[in-house]
């Protein structure tokens, strides 16, 4: 893993190695002092890299692959997804952080019930809800789960905020690792597969003239 500084003129400093074999970078804390990454182990684990010391703290759950971690805006929580091997169900959790360390698995707060494919959770700016991709309605749509700002316990049922029920634009048709979701201010950024087609009419007279 390497880190470089972007200057005001958009030039970059010489990359500096900050970690060996840390896997895939997923998120950076607002304070700029910690990085979340996904490692290459089996089951997959989540790592927290503290940049000042180079220390790594690993998060694991027996029999589950962990993925798509995100720091909360205040840095006091991490959300992630857990998936059993060869399962088509995932579950979203919120993990409390204390003094830069994640709480034990017994302290993880379940945000979704694990009965659907719920994936790629992101925090709202106030930390009072999580948006995530889900196929719980048979399609691939973006849903919102309100949470208590202090305890992160879910409040009410998830609600659909963006639907993709037509065949033209789809998140569900993307391969499993590809859907990404970002929330910046009041804007949702996501990728989707768009299908378009055209109908052409061949003029028989033009075709005959082309043969001659």
């Amino acid at each position: 893993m390497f880190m470089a500084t972007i200057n005001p003129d958009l030039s970059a400093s010489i990359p500096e190695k900050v970690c060996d074999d840390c896997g895939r970078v997923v998120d950076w804390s607002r304070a700029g002092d910690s990085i979340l990454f996904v490692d290459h182990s089996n089951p997959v684990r989540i790592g927290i890299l503290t940049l000042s010391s180079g220390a790594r703290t690993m998060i694991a759950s027996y029999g589950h692959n962990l993925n798509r971690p995100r720091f909360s805006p205040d840095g006091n929580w991490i959300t992630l997804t857990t998936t059993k091997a060869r399962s088509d169900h995932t579950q979203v959790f919120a993990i409390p952080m204390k003094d830069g360390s994640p709480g034990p698995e017994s302290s993880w707060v379940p945000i979704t019930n694990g009965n659907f494919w719920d994936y790629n959770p992101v925090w709202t700016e106030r930390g009072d809800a999580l948006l995530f991709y889900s196929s719980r309605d048979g399609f691939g749509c973006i849903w919102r789960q309100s949470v208590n700002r202090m305890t992160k316990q879910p409040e009410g049922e998830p609600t659909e905020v963006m639907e993709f029920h037509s065949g033209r634009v789809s998140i569900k048709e993307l391969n499993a690792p590809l859907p990404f979701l970002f929330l910046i201010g009041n804007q949702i950024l996501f990728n989707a597969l768009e299908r378009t087609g055209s109908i052409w009419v061949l003029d028989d007279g033009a075709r005959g003239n082309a043969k001659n």
Side-chain angles (χ1 to χ4, degrees):
M1 183 188 301
F2 291 82
M3 181 175 65
T5 300
I6 304 298
N7 301 311
D9 63 357
L10 300 183
S11 63
S13 65
I14 298 174
E16 173 189 358
K17 182 183 286 188
V18 295
C19 186
D20 282 312
D21 194 28
C22 274
R24 173 169 52 88
V25 176
V26 182
D27 198 18
W28 200 330
S29 65
R30 293 283 184 92
D33 56 357
S34 300
I35 289 175
L36 287 170
F37 64 91
V38 178
D39 76 357
H40 305 299
S41 62
N42 186 15
V44 179
R45 302 176 301 171
I46 299 300
I48 306 171
L49 174 66
T50 303
L51 293 173
S52 60
S53 63
R56 285 185 282 186
T57 303
M58 304 307 297
I59 305 174
S61 177
Y62 179 77
H64 291 80
N65 293 309
L66 308 184
N67 209 341
R68 298 301 172 94
R70 296 286 182 88
F71 284 112
S72 63
D74 61 10
N76 293 329
W77 294 80
I78 292 173
T79 185
L80 50 72
T81 60
T82 68
T83 313
K84 289 184 178 179
R86 295 180 295 277
S87 173
D88 59 358
H89 293 171
T90 61
Q91 190 167 12
V92 177
F93 285 90
I95 300 176
M97 297 282 291
K98 186 176 181 180
D99 299 325
S101 298
E105 192 168 356
S106 59
S107 69
W108 296 10
V109 179
I111 303 300
T112 61
N113 57 23
N115 293 332
F116 308 97
W117 184 263
D118 299 327
Y119 200 56
N120 205 13
V122 293
W123 297 94
T124 58
E125 189 65 27
R126 296 188 301 177
D128 59 355
L130 283 160
L131 271 67
F132 56 93
Y133 164 80
S134 179
S135 58
R136 60 181 55 220
D137 63 351
F139 299 90
C141 304
I142 297 175
W143 291 69
R144 182 184 190 274
Q145 174 63 63
S146 296
V147 299
N148 182 280
R149 293 183 66 178
M150 297 299 296
T151 67
K152 305 308 180 191
Q153 291 289 338
E155 296 183 339
E157 295 296 320
T159 57
E160 191 176 54
V161 295
M162 290 190 71
E163 65 173 42
F164 298 91
H165 295 176
S166 68
R168 177 167 181 172
V169 178
S170 171
I171 298 178
K172 187 177 181 180
E173 296 301 319
L174 292 171
N175 291 331
L178 293 180
F180 275 87
L181 181 64
F182 297 92
L183 187 61
I184 302 176
N186 63 349
Q187 294 182 312
I188 300 175
L189 305 180
F190 60 92
N191 59 339
L193 180 68
E194 183 176 15
R195 292 176 174 173
T196 61
S198 300
I199 298 176
W200 295 80
V201 177
L202 178 62
D203 189 307
D204 287 342
R207 181 173 60 179
N209 292 334
K211 289 181 179 180
N212 294 330

